[in-house]
PDB file of all heavy atoms in Angstrom:
ATOM      1  N   PHE A   1      18.025  68.079 -10.290  1.00  0.00           N
ATOM      2  CA  PHE A   1      17.110  67.046 -10.745  1.00  0.00           C
ATOM      3  C   PHE A   1      16.009  67.610 -11.677  1.00  0.00           C
ATOM      4  O   PHE A   1      14.827  67.326 -11.516  1.00  0.00           O
ATOM      5  CB  PHE A   1      16.421  66.356  -9.534  1.00  0.00           C
ATOM      6  CG  PHE A   1      17.356  65.876  -8.496  1.00  0.00           C
ATOM      7  CD1 PHE A   1      17.474  66.530  -7.276  1.00  0.00           C
ATOM      8  CD2 PHE A   1      18.200  64.779  -8.720  1.00  0.00           C
ATOM      9  CE1 PHE A   1      18.374  66.109  -6.306  1.00  0.00           C
ATOM     10  CE2 PHE A   1      19.080  64.339  -7.761  1.00  0.00           C
ATOM     11  CZ  PHE A   1      19.180  64.996  -6.550  1.00  0.00           C
ATOM     12  N   SER A   2      16.413  68.424 -12.606  1.00  0.00           N
ATOM     13  CA  SER A   2      15.457  69.065 -13.502  1.00  0.00           C
ATOM     14  C   SER A   2      15.077  68.141 -14.660  1.00  0.00           C
ATOM     15  O   SER A   2      15.917  67.411 -15.202  1.00  0.00           O
ATOM     16  CB  SER A   2      16.000  70.372 -14.054  1.00  0.00           C
ATOM     17  OG  SER A   2      17.223  70.157 -14.767  1.00  0.00           O
ATOM     18  N   ILE A   3      13.780  68.169 -14.990  1.00  0.00           N
ATOM     19  CA  ILE A   3      13.235  67.432 -16.130  1.00  0.00           C
ATOM     20  C   ILE A   3      12.432  68.443 -16.949  1.00  0.00           C
ATOM     21  O   ILE A   3      11.506  69.064 -16.403  1.00  0.00           O
ATOM     22  CB  ILE A   3      12.319  66.270 -15.702  1.00  0.00           C
ATOM     23  CG1 ILE A   3      13.104  65.290 -14.821  1.00  0.00           C
ATOM     24  CG2 ILE A   3      11.734  65.567 -16.899  1.00  0.00           C
ATOM     25  CD1 ILE A   3      12.223  64.209 -14.222  1.00  0.00           C
ATOM     26  N   GLY A   4      12.755  68.625 -18.212  1.00  0.00           N
ATOM     27  CA  GLY A   4      12.100  69.646 -18.986  1.00  0.00           C
ATOM     28  C   GLY A   4      11.847  69.276 -20.423  1.00  0.00           C
ATOM     29  O   GLY A   4      12.364  68.272 -20.917  1.00  0.00           O
ATOM     30  N   ILE A   5      11.057  70.105 -21.103  1.00  0.00           N
ATOM     31  CA  ILE A   5      10.775  69.968 -22.527  1.00  0.00           C
ATOM     32  C   ILE A   5      11.476  71.119 -23.229  1.00  0.00           C
ATOM     33  O   ILE A   5      11.159  72.284 -23.004  1.00  0.00           O
ATOM     34  CB  ILE A   5       9.271  70.008 -22.801  1.00  0.00           C
ATOM     35  CG1 ILE A   5       8.522  68.951 -21.963  1.00  0.00           C
ATOM     36  CG2 ILE A   5       8.985  69.812 -24.284  1.00  0.00           C
ATOM     37  CD1 ILE A   5       7.033  69.048 -22.086  1.00  0.00           C
ATOM     38  N   PRO A   6      12.448  70.821 -24.122  1.00  0.00           N
ATOM     39  CA  PRO A   6      13.205  71.905 -24.756  1.00  0.00           C
ATOM     40  C   PRO A   6      12.328  72.902 -25.494  1.00  0.00           C
ATOM     41  O   PRO A   6      11.310  72.524 -26.111  1.00  0.00           O
ATOM     42  CB  PRO A   6      14.079  71.115 -25.763  1.00  0.00           C
ATOM     43  CG  PRO A   6      14.183  69.733 -25.192  1.00  0.00           C
ATOM     44  CD  PRO A   6      12.874  69.499 -24.520  1.00  0.00           C
ATOM     45  N   HIS A   7      12.689  74.162 -25.371  1.00  0.00           N
ATOM     46  CA  HIS A   7      12.091  75.284 -26.085  1.00  0.00           C
ATOM     47  C   HIS A   7      10.679  75.693 -25.602  1.00  0.00           C
ATOM     48  O   HIS A   7      10.215  76.771 -25.963  1.00  0.00           O
ATOM     49  CB  HIS A   7      11.999  74.997 -27.587  1.00  0.00           C
ATOM     50  CG  HIS A   7      13.323  74.873 -28.282  1.00  0.00           C
ATOM     51  ND1 HIS A   7      14.032  75.960 -28.722  1.00  0.00           N
ATOM     52  CD2 HIS A   7      14.080  73.765 -28.550  1.00  0.00           C
ATOM     53  CE1 HIS A   7      15.161  75.542 -29.270  1.00  0.00           C
ATOM     54  NE2 HIS A   7      15.213  74.212 -29.183  1.00  0.00           N
ATOM     55  N   PHE A   8      10.015  74.861 -24.821  1.00  0.00           N
ATOM     56  CA  PHE A   8       8.585  75.124 -24.560  1.00  0.00           C
ATOM     57  C   PHE A   8       8.373  76.317 -23.621  1.00  0.00           C
ATOM     58  O   PHE A   8       7.327  76.970 -23.702  1.00  0.00           O
ATOM     59  CB  PHE A   8       7.935  73.860 -23.993  1.00  0.00           C
ATOM     60  CG  PHE A   8       7.247  73.048 -25.020  1.00  0.00           C
ATOM     61  CD1 PHE A   8       7.994  72.469 -26.063  1.00  0.00           C
ATOM     62  CD2 PHE A   8       5.879  72.895 -25.035  1.00  0.00           C
ATOM     63  CE1 PHE A   8       7.385  71.707 -27.039  1.00  0.00           C
ATOM     64  CE2 PHE A   8       5.237  72.149 -26.020  1.00  0.00           C
ATOM     65  CZ  PHE A   8       6.002  71.569 -27.032  1.00  0.00           C
ATOM     66  N   SER A   9       9.297  76.646 -22.759  1.00  0.00           N
ATOM     67  CA  SER A   9       9.161  77.826 -21.918  1.00  0.00           C
ATOM     68  C   SER A   9       9.204  79.073 -22.762  1.00  0.00           C
ATOM     69  O   SER A   9       8.399  79.998 -22.584  1.00  0.00           O
ATOM     70  CB  SER A   9      10.238  77.881 -20.839  1.00  0.00           C
ATOM     71  OG  SER A   9      10.074  78.989 -20.004  1.00  0.00           O
ATOM     72  N   SER A  10      10.130  79.132 -23.716  1.00  0.00           N
ATOM     73  CA  SER A  10      10.213  80.267 -24.637  1.00  0.00           C
ATOM     74  C   SER A  10       8.953  80.340 -25.468  1.00  0.00           C
ATOM     75  O   SER A  10       8.407  81.418 -25.704  1.00  0.00           O
ATOM     76  CB  SER A  10      11.427  80.125 -25.544  1.00  0.00           C
ATOM     77  OG  SER A  10      12.618  80.349 -24.812  1.00  0.00           O
ATOM     78  N   LEU A  11       8.473  79.211 -25.910  1.00  0.00           N
ATOM     79  CA  LEU A  11       7.259  79.180 -26.765  1.00  0.00           C
ATOM     80  C   LEU A  11       6.050  79.719 -26.000  1.00  0.00           C
ATOM     81  O   LEU A  11       5.275  80.519 -26.532  1.00  0.00           O
ATOM     82  CB  LEU A  11       7.010  77.757 -27.259  1.00  0.00           C
ATOM     83  CG  LEU A  11       5.767  77.588 -28.189  1.00  0.00           C
ATOM     84  CD1 LEU A  11       5.972  78.376 -29.473  1.00  0.00           C
ATOM     85  CD2 LEU A  11       5.572  76.116 -28.472  1.00  0.00           C
ATOM     86  N   LEU A  12       5.889  79.299 -24.744  1.00  0.00           N
ATOM     87  CA  LEU A  12       4.733  79.712 -23.969  1.00  0.00           C
ATOM     88  C   LEU A  12       4.792  81.174 -23.563  1.00  0.00           C
ATOM     89  O   LEU A  12       3.766  81.873 -23.557  1.00  0.00           O
ATOM     90  CB  LEU A  12       4.601  78.824 -22.727  1.00  0.00           C
ATOM     91  CG  LEU A  12       4.187  77.385 -22.964  1.00  0.00           C
ATOM     92  CD1 LEU A  12       4.242  76.596 -21.669  1.00  0.00           C
ATOM     93  CD2 LEU A  12       2.793  77.292 -23.560  1.00  0.00           C
ATOM     94  N   ASN A  13       5.965  81.679 -23.215  1.00  0.00           N
ATOM     95  CA  ASN A  13       6.092  83.016 -22.686  1.00  0.00           C
ATOM     96  C   ASN A  13       6.336  84.096 -23.732  1.00  0.00           C
ATOM     97  O   ASN A  13       5.962  85.252 -23.522  1.00  0.00           O
ATOM     98  CB  ASN A  13       7.219  83.061 -21.636  1.00  0.00           C
ATOM     99  CG  ASN A  13       6.833  82.352 -20.343  1.00  0.00           C
ATOM    100  OD1 ASN A  13       6.116  82.895 -19.533  1.00  0.00           O
ATOM    101  ND2 ASN A  13       7.354  81.135 -20.169  1.00  0.00           N
ATOM    102  N   THR A  14       6.978  83.704 -24.834  1.00  0.00           N
ATOM    103  CA  THR A  14       7.240  84.703 -25.879  1.00  0.00           C
ATOM    104  C   THR A  14       6.509  84.377 -27.177  1.00  0.00           C
ATOM    105  O   THR A  14       6.526  85.189 -28.108  1.00  0.00           O
ATOM    106  CB  THR A  14       8.735  84.749 -26.192  1.00  0.00           C
ATOM    107  OG1 THR A  14       9.157  83.537 -26.830  1.00  0.00           O
ATOM    108  CG2 THR A  14       9.571  84.940 -24.932  1.00  0.00           C
ATOM    109  N   HIS A  15       5.866  83.203 -27.229  1.00  0.00           N
ATOM    110  CA  HIS A  15       5.199  82.699 -28.451  1.00  0.00           C
ATOM    111  C   HIS A  15       6.175  82.629 -29.611  1.00  0.00           C
ATOM    112  O   HIS A  15       5.803  82.818 -30.756  1.00  0.00           O
ATOM    113  CB  HIS A  15       4.010  83.622 -28.803  1.00  0.00           C
ATOM    114  CG  HIS A  15       2.865  83.488 -27.850  1.00  0.00           C
ATOM    115  ND1 HIS A  15       1.704  84.218 -27.948  1.00  0.00           N
ATOM    116  CD2 HIS A  15       2.711  82.702 -26.725  1.00  0.00           C
ATOM    117  CE1 HIS A  15       0.877  83.869 -26.967  1.00  0.00           C
ATOM    118  NE2 HIS A  15       1.494  82.984 -26.207  1.00  0.00           N
ATOM    119  N   SER A  16       7.422  82.355 -29.246  1.00  0.00           N
ATOM    120  CA  SER A  16       8.466  82.141 -30.266  1.00  0.00           C
ATOM    121  C   SER A  16       9.307  80.928 -29.817  1.00  0.00           C
ATOM    122  O   SER A  16       9.670  80.803 -28.651  1.00  0.00           O
ATOM    123  CB  SER A  16       9.374  83.385 -30.362  1.00  0.00           C
ATOM    124  OG  SER A  16      10.465  83.122 -31.204  1.00  0.00           O
ATOM    125  N   TRP A  17       9.640  80.037 -30.773  1.00  0.00           N
ATOM    126  CA  TRP A  17      10.370  78.810 -30.448  1.00  0.00           C
ATOM    127  C   TRP A  17      11.711  79.106 -29.835  1.00  0.00           C
ATOM    128  O   TRP A  17      12.157  78.412 -28.939  1.00  0.00           O
ATOM    129  CB  TRP A  17      10.534  77.979 -31.745  1.00  0.00           C
ATOM    130  CG  TRP A  17      11.112  76.633 -31.571  1.00  0.00           C
ATOM    131  CD1 TRP A  17      12.382  76.225 -31.938  1.00  0.00           C
ATOM    132  CD2 TRP A  17      10.475  75.466 -30.989  1.00  0.00           C
ATOM    133  NE1 TRP A  17      12.535  74.889 -31.638  1.00  0.00           N
ATOM    134  CE2 TRP A  17      11.397  74.410 -31.048  1.00  0.00           C
ATOM    135  CE3 TRP A  17       9.229  75.254 -30.437  1.00  0.00           C
ATOM    136  CZ2 TRP A  17      11.114  73.137 -30.560  1.00  0.00           C
ATOM    137  CZ3 TRP A  17       8.937  73.991 -29.964  1.00  0.00           C
ATOM    138  CH2 TRP A  17       9.864  72.942 -30.033  1.00  0.00           C
ATOM    139  N   ASN A  18      12.377  80.152 -30.291  1.00  0.00           N
ATOM    140  CA  ASN A  18      13.690  80.525 -29.762  1.00  0.00           C
ATOM    141  C   ASN A  18      13.673  81.892 -29.059  1.00  0.00           C
ATOM    142  O   ASN A  18      14.689  82.607 -29.043  1.00  0.00           O
ATOM    143  CB  ASN A  18      14.739  80.527 -30.893  1.00  0.00           C
ATOM    144  CG  ASN A  18      15.100  79.122 -31.333  1.00  0.00           C
ATOM    145  OD1 ASN A  18      15.479  78.306 -30.510  1.00  0.00           O
ATOM    146  ND2 ASN A  18      14.989  78.861 -32.615  1.00  0.00           N
ATOM    147  N   GLY A  19      12.529  82.240 -28.508  1.00  0.00           N
ATOM    148  CA  GLY A  19      12.435  83.523 -27.822  1.00  0.00           C
ATOM    149  C   GLY A  19      13.366  83.582 -26.625  1.00  0.00           C
ATOM    150  O   GLY A  19      13.637  82.596 -25.958  1.00  0.00           O
ATOM    151  N   GLU A  20      13.876  84.776 -26.393  1.00  0.00           N
ATOM    152  CA  GLU A  20      14.843  84.969 -25.293  1.00  0.00           C
ATOM    153  C   GLU A  20      14.142  85.111 -23.956  1.00  0.00           C
ATOM    154  O   GLU A  20      13.160  85.861 -23.820  1.00  0.00           O
ATOM    155  CB  GLU A  20      15.711  86.199 -25.551  1.00  0.00           C
ATOM    156  CG  GLU A  20      16.821  86.402 -24.513  1.00  0.00           C
ATOM    157  CD  GLU A  20      17.784  87.500 -24.847  1.00  0.00           C
ATOM    158  OE1 GLU A  20      17.455  88.684 -24.502  1.00  0.00           O
ATOM    159  OE2 GLU A  20      18.801  87.249 -25.468  1.00  0.00           O
ATOM    160  N   MET A  21      14.645  84.386 -22.961  1.00  0.00           N
ATOM    161  CA  MET A  21      14.128  84.446 -21.603  1.00  0.00           C
ATOM    162  C   MET A  21      15.224  84.979 -20.693  1.00  0.00           C
ATOM    163  O   MET A  21      16.333  84.482 -20.669  1.00  0.00           O
ATOM    164  CB  MET A  21      13.713  83.057 -21.122  1.00  0.00           C
ATOM    165  CG  MET A  21      12.628  82.389 -21.974  1.00  0.00           C
ATOM    166  SD  MET A  21      10.996  83.056 -21.627  1.00  0.00           S
ATOM    167  CE  MET A  21      10.738  82.457 -19.979  1.00  0.00           C
ATOM    168  N   VAL A  22      14.864  86.033 -19.958  1.00  0.00           N
ATOM    169  CA  VAL A  22      15.819  86.638 -19.012  1.00  0.00           C
ATOM    170  C   VAL A  22      16.012  85.712 -17.819  1.00  0.00           C
ATOM    171  O   VAL A  22      15.056  85.139 -17.298  1.00  0.00           O
ATOM    172  CB  VAL A  22      15.313  88.012 -18.529  1.00  0.00           C
ATOM    173  CG1 VAL A  22      16.256  88.599 -17.466  1.00  0.00           C
ATOM    174  CG2 VAL A  22      15.201  88.960 -19.734  1.00  0.00           C
ATOM    175  N   GLY A  23      17.281  85.528 -17.412  1.00  0.00           N
ATOM    176  CA  GLY A  23      17.578  84.620 -16.312  1.00  0.00           C
ATOM    177  C   GLY A  23      17.631  85.365 -14.973  1.00  0.00           C
ATOM    178  O   GLY A  23      17.816  86.562 -14.889  1.00  0.00           O
ATOM    179  N   LEU A  24      17.481  84.604 -13.902  1.00  0.00           N
ATOM    180  CA  LEU A  24      17.533  85.165 -12.556  1.00  0.00           C
ATOM    181  C   LEU A  24      18.897  85.784 -12.238  1.00  0.00           C
ATOM    182  O   LEU A  24      19.012  86.752 -11.476  1.00  0.00           O
ATOM    183  CB  LEU A  24      17.208  84.080 -11.519  1.00  0.00           C
ATOM    184  CG  LEU A  24      15.748  83.637 -11.466  1.00  0.00           C
ATOM    185  CD1 LEU A  24      15.630  82.248 -10.879  1.00  0.00           C
ATOM    186  CD2 LEU A  24      14.947  84.629 -10.650  1.00  0.00           C
ATOM    187  N   LYS A  25      19.936  85.242 -12.836  1.00  0.00           N
ATOM    188  CA  LYS A  25      21.286  85.753 -12.563  1.00  0.00           C
ATOM    189  C   LYS A  25      21.533  87.114 -13.171  1.00  0.00           C
ATOM    190  O   LYS A  25      22.565  87.753 -12.914  1.00  0.00           O
ATOM    191  CB  LYS A  25      22.342  84.770 -13.117  1.00  0.00           C
ATOM    192  CG  LYS A  25      22.415  83.459 -12.342  1.00  0.00           C
ATOM    193  CD  LYS A  25      23.504  82.559 -12.930  1.00  0.00           C
ATOM    194  CE  LYS A  25      23.585  81.229 -12.232  1.00  0.00           C
ATOM    195  NZ  LYS A  25      24.600  80.333 -12.831  1.00  0.00           N
ATOM    196  N   SER A  26      20.583  87.604 -13.965  1.00  0.00           N
ATOM    197  CA  SER A  26      20.720  88.966 -14.534  1.00  0.00           C
ATOM    198  C   SER A  26      20.569  90.054 -13.458  1.00  0.00           C
ATOM    199  O   SER A  26      20.888  91.227 -13.699  1.00  0.00           O
ATOM    200  CB  SER A  26      19.706  89.197 -15.647  1.00  0.00           C
ATOM    201  OG  SER A  26      18.390  89.141 -15.153  1.00  0.00           O
ATOM    202  N   VAL A  27      20.057  89.684 -12.281  1.00  0.00           N
ATOM    203  CA  VAL A  27      19.979  90.613 -11.165  1.00  0.00           C
ATOM    204  C   VAL A  27      20.715  89.987  -9.989  1.00  0.00           C
ATOM    205  O   VAL A  27      20.997  88.782  -9.946  1.00  0.00           O
ATOM    206  CB  VAL A  27      18.516  90.941 -10.774  1.00  0.00           C
ATOM    207  CG1 VAL A  27      17.789  91.621 -11.945  1.00  0.00           C
ATOM    208  CG2 VAL A  27      17.761  89.682 -10.366  1.00  0.00           C
ATOM    209  N   SER A  28      21.003  90.784  -8.997  1.00  0.00           N
ATOM    210  CA  SER A  28      21.697  90.277  -7.814  1.00  0.00           C
ATOM    211  C   SER A  28      20.768  89.381  -7.010  1.00  0.00           C
ATOM    212  O   SER A  28      19.549  89.515  -7.075  1.00  0.00           O
ATOM    213  CB  SER A  28      22.168  91.423  -6.926  1.00  0.00           C
ATOM    214  OG  SER A  28      21.055  92.109  -6.373  1.00  0.00           O
ATOM    215  N   PRO A  29      21.303  88.428  -6.239  1.00  0.00           N
ATOM    216  CA  PRO A  29      20.447  87.564  -5.404  1.00  0.00           C
ATOM    217  C   PRO A  29      19.485  88.307  -4.516  1.00  0.00           C
ATOM    218  O   PRO A  29      18.392  87.832  -4.209  1.00  0.00           O
ATOM    219  CB  PRO A  29      21.461  86.734  -4.624  1.00  0.00           C
ATOM    220  CG  PRO A  29      22.677  86.717  -5.504  1.00  0.00           C
ATOM    221  CD  PRO A  29      22.731  88.048  -6.163  1.00  0.00           C
ATOM    222  N   SER A  30      19.884  89.501  -4.065  1.00  0.00           N
ATOM    223  CA  SER A  30      19.015  90.292  -3.189  1.00  0.00           C
ATOM    224  C   SER A  30      17.781  90.817  -3.930  1.00  0.00           C
ATOM    225  O   SER A  30      16.799  91.232  -3.288  1.00  0.00           O
ATOM    226  CB  SER A  30      19.772  91.467  -2.598  1.00  0.00           C
ATOM    227  OG  SER A  30      20.226  92.353  -3.615  1.00  0.00           O
ATOM    228  N   ASP A  31      17.812  90.833  -5.247  1.00  0.00           N
ATOM    229  CA  ASP A  31      16.697  91.292  -6.053  1.00  0.00           C
ATOM    230  C   ASP A  31      15.861  90.127  -6.622  1.00  0.00           C
ATOM    231  O   ASP A  31      14.986  90.345  -7.459  1.00  0.00           O
ATOM    232  CB  ASP A  31      17.164  92.165  -7.210  1.00  0.00           C
ATOM    233  CG  ASP A  31      17.655  93.534  -6.717  1.00  0.00           C
ATOM    234  OD1 ASP A  31      17.234  93.945  -5.631  1.00  0.00           O
ATOM    235  OD2 ASP A  31      18.471  94.170  -7.421  1.00  0.00           O
ATOM    236  N   GLN A  32      16.160  88.920  -6.189  1.00  0.00           N
ATOM    237  CA  GLN A  32      15.428  87.749  -6.649  1.00  0.00           C
ATOM    238  C   GLN A  32      14.344  87.356  -5.643  1.00  0.00           C
ATOM    239  O   GLN A  32      14.575  87.444  -4.436  1.00  0.00           O
ATOM    240  CB  GLN A  32      16.399  86.569  -6.853  1.00  0.00           C
ATOM    241  CG  GLN A  32      17.446  86.743  -7.906  1.00  0.00           C
ATOM    242  CD  GLN A  32      18.471  85.638  -7.894  1.00  0.00           C
ATOM    243  OE1 GLN A  32      18.409  84.697  -7.086  1.00  0.00           O
ATOM    244  NE2 GLN A  32      19.456  85.739  -8.795  1.00  0.00           N
ATOM    245  N   PRO A  33      13.203  86.900  -6.145  1.00  0.00           N
ATOM    246  CA  PRO A  33      12.167  86.371  -5.224  1.00  0.00           C
ATOM    247  C   PRO A  33      12.569  84.997  -4.697  1.00  0.00           C
ATOM    248  O   PRO A  33      13.576  84.443  -5.106  1.00  0.00           O
ATOM    249  CB  PRO A  33      10.934  86.315  -6.108  1.00  0.00           C
ATOM    250  CG  PRO A  33      11.473  86.070  -7.477  1.00  0.00           C
ATOM    251  CD  PRO A  33      12.774  86.818  -7.533  1.00  0.00           C
ATOM    252  N   ASN A  34      11.773  84.452  -3.818  1.00  0.00           N
ATOM    253  CA  ASN A  34      11.972  83.081  -3.370  1.00  0.00           C
ATOM    254  C   ASN A  34      11.601  82.144  -4.499  1.00  0.00           C
ATOM    255  O   ASN A  34      10.426  81.905  -4.752  1.00  0.00           O
ATOM    256  CB  ASN A  34      11.141  82.795  -2.131  1.00  0.00           C
ATOM    257  CG  ASN A  34      11.478  81.459  -1.485  1.00  0.00           C
ATOM    258  OD1 ASN A  34      11.467  80.448  -2.135  1.00  0.00           O
ATOM    259  ND2 ASN A  34      11.752  81.480  -0.186  1.00  0.00           N
ATOM    260  N   VAL A  35      12.604  81.614  -5.178  1.00  0.00           N
ATOM    261  CA  VAL A  35      12.372  80.871  -6.417  1.00  0.00           C
ATOM    262  C   VAL A  35      11.607  79.574  -6.173  1.00  0.00           C
ATOM    263  O   VAL A  35      10.688  79.234  -6.921  1.00  0.00           O
ATOM    264  CB  VAL A  35      13.701  80.590  -7.121  1.00  0.00           C
ATOM    265  CG1 VAL A  35      13.477  79.794  -8.416  1.00  0.00           C
ATOM    266  CG2 VAL A  35      14.449  81.867  -7.421  1.00  0.00           C
TER     267      VAL A  35
END
C-alpha cells in the first residue's frame, strides 16, 4: 500500500533527480534493521 512522489527520495538524499539509492536487498536480511 505504498504512496509516493517519484524521484523525491533521490533528490532529498543525494541532491540529484536521478541519484542512486542503495536498497535493503543489497545486504542479507540479518544485516537489515527493523524497517
Side-chain angles (χ1 to χ4, degrees):
F1 309 108
S2 58
I3 302 173
I5 305 174
H7 295 276
F8 265 64
S9 182
S10 289
L11 181 63
L12 290 174
N13 288 282
T14 70
H15 290 179
S16 173
W17 187 252
N18 287 307
E20 184 173 86
M21 300 283 292
V22 175
L24 288 157
K25 291 181 182 178
S26 63
V27 298
S28 68
S30 63
D31 289 337
Q32 297 172 359
N34 188 307
V35 179

